[in-house]
């Protein structure tokens, strides 16, 4: 009976992308942007392996052949035109193969290329008193700008970290929050990131997003979430409780998103 109860509870937990113990590679890509980052990493790593093998072979061959015992009288070679041309052109070609895809990826990450369906504003705050812990913690207030018709009707909420001694079954330690950022799946969203005090950084590895929040300005990025729940953290040292500033993004169907927006507007209006 206990096993069946636990099984039912585990089946209700949504799939999530978070860091795993002893993980070496990147998290699973949830956006085309992150998939492009992983592909570029693999391509560059291929060139690094070739360079490592080539340079290692040259070093071993030089140590083996050119030493005092095998070659007591060294040759005096001042210039080698052929080898100098090769060692200049070959690295340039490698850099060209790396630069072309990296420039395209950087451009797509820096610009909102598609008209977004919704706009979300993330505001980093340093010191807030958490409502159920009694201790100070950091928070990320969020504002859904498309639904702010007036001062009386707006869709804003604070996102606090769940304390270590109060997690529910299936929640990740120091990564879960009380209010998730809910977005419609398979649509384009525009993120506006800005701080209210000190520098912050809104980062979610699975989405391929790391947008710095610089005091005095608003930075812009875009995401297109495909599925599931994704975890991130503030990636800028912003205070003594910097480690307690998680980010959770949940992608739901368009119908569930519309129901969530309606419930949030009703709760905040009342």
């Amino acid at each position: 009976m206990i096993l069946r109860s636990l099984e039912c509870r585990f089946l209700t937990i949504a799939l999530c992308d978070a860091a795993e113990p002893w993980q070496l590679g990147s998290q699973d890509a949830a956006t085309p942007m992150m998939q492009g980052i992983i592909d570029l990493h693999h391509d560059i790593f291929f060139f690094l392996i070739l360079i490592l093998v080539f340079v290692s072979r040259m070093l071993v061959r030089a140590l083996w052949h050119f030493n005092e015992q095998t070659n007591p009288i060294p040759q005096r070679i001042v210039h080698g035109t052929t080898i100098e041309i090769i060692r200049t052109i070959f690295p340039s070609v490698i850099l060209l193969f790396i630069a072309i895809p990296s420039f395209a990826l950087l451009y797509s990450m820096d610009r909102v290329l598609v008209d977004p369906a919704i706009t979300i504003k993330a505001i980093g705050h340093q010191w807030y008193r958490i409502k159920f812990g009694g201790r100070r913690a950091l928070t990320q207030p969020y504002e859904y700008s498309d639904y702010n018709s007036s001062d009386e009707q707006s869709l804003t909420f604070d996102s606090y970290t769940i304390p270590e001694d109060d997690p529910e079954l299936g929640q990740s330690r120091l990564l879960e929050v009380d209010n998730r950022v809910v977005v419609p799946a398979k649509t384009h969203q525009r993120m506006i990131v800005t701080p209210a005090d000190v520098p912050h950084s809104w980062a979610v590895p699975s989405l391929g997003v790391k947008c710095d929040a610089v005091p005095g300005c608003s930075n812009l990025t875009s995401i297109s979430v495909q599925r599931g729940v994704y975890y991130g953290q503030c990636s800028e040292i912003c205070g003594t409780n910097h480690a307690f500033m998680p980010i959770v993004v949940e992608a739901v169907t368009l119908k569930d998103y519309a129901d969530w927006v309606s419930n949030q507007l009703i709760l905040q209006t009342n």
Side-chain angles (χ1 to χ4, degrees):
M1 193 69 182
I2 297 176
L3 292 176
R4 182 176 297 178
S5 176
L6 289 174
E7 183 180 3
C8 294
R9 294 188 68 181
F10 272 112
L11 289 176
T12 58
I13 300 173
L15 295 176
C16 58
D17 284 83
E20 299 177 358
W22 300 98
Q23 182 176 348
L24 296 178
S26 302
Q27 298 180 19
D28 294 338
T31 61
M33 187 183 303
M34 185 59 189
Q35 188 61 50
I37 294 174
I38 294 177
D39 292 340
L40 180 62
H41 170 268
H42 292 168
D43 295 340
I44 295 177
F45 198 77
F46 171 76
F47 289 110
L48 291 178
I49 294 297
L50 293 180
I51 295 172
L52 176 64
V53 172
F54 179 73
V55 174
S56 299
R57 183 183 180 277
M58 291 186 62
L59 289 175
V60 172
R61 190 173 184 274
L63 293 174
W64 180 262
H65 291 284
F66 300 98
N67 56 72
E68 186 177 0
Q69 294 179 356
T70 58
N71 191 18
I73 302 177
Q75 296 181 359
R76 297 183 177 274
I77 300 176
V78 179
H79 292 288
T81 306
T82 304
I83 191 63
E84 290 181 357
I85 293 176
I86 292 176
R87 74 182 185 187
T88 303
I89 295 179
F90 190 67
S92 302
V93 173
I94 294 178
L95 291 177
L96 187 63
F97 276 104
I98 296 176
I100 293 176
S102 63
F103 286 157
L105 183 61
L106 286 173
Y107 179 79
S108 63
M109 294 173 62
D110 190 54
R111 295 289 184 268
V112 180
L113 303 177
V114 182
D115 189 19
I118 60 173
T119 300
I120 304 173
K121 187 176 183 180
I123 306 172
H125 280 277
Q126 185 180 22
W127 294 112
Y128 263 48
R129 186 164 293 278
I130 200 165
K131 60 184 179 182
F132 40 60
R135 61 180 175 83
R136 290 186 180 273
L138 291 83
T139 182
Q140 288 263 31
Y142 292 95
E143 174 185 310
Y144 286 66
S145 305
D146 299 303
Y147 310 106
N148 294 351
S149 58
S150 62
D151 294 336
E152 291 77 13
Q153 184 178 11
S154 61
L155 182 50
T156 58
F157 58 86
D158 290 332
S159 181
Y160 291 98
T161 178
I162 300 296
E164 297 182 61
D165 55 352
D166 194 28
E168 296 181 359
L169 181 64
Q171 291 184 342
S172 300
R173 174 180 173 270
L174 298 181
L175 287 179
E176 191 57 68
V177 296
D178 57 348
N179 291 316
R180 294 176 172 178
V181 180
V182 180
V183 297
K186 298 180 180 180
T187 58
H188 293 273
Q189 296 92 33
R190 174 170 52 196
M191 292 295 305
I192 300 176
V193 182
T194 186
D197 36 45
V198 298
H200 299 276
S201 183
W202 199 84
V204 183
S206 293
L207 305 183
V209 174
K210 185 181 182 297
C211 187
D212 292 337
V214 182
C217 65
S218 298
N219 287 332
L220 189 67
T221 186
S222 63
I223 58 176
S224 177
V225 187
Q226 302 297 321
R227 52 174 173 77
V229 181
Y230 306 94
Y231 294 92
Q233 288 178 302
C234 177
S235 296
E236 189 75 32
I237 298 178
C238 51
T240 56
N241 282 338
H242 161 70
F244 305 98
M245 198 171 184
I247 301 166
V248 183
V249 179
E250 181 178 1
V252 298
T253 62
L254 190 59
K255 180 180 181 302
D256 293 338
Y257 174 75
D259 295 338
W260 178 83
V261 170
S262 301
N263 293 333
Q264 290 291 323
L265 291 175
I266 291 173
L267 290 175
Q268 297 192 15
T269 302
N270 296 334

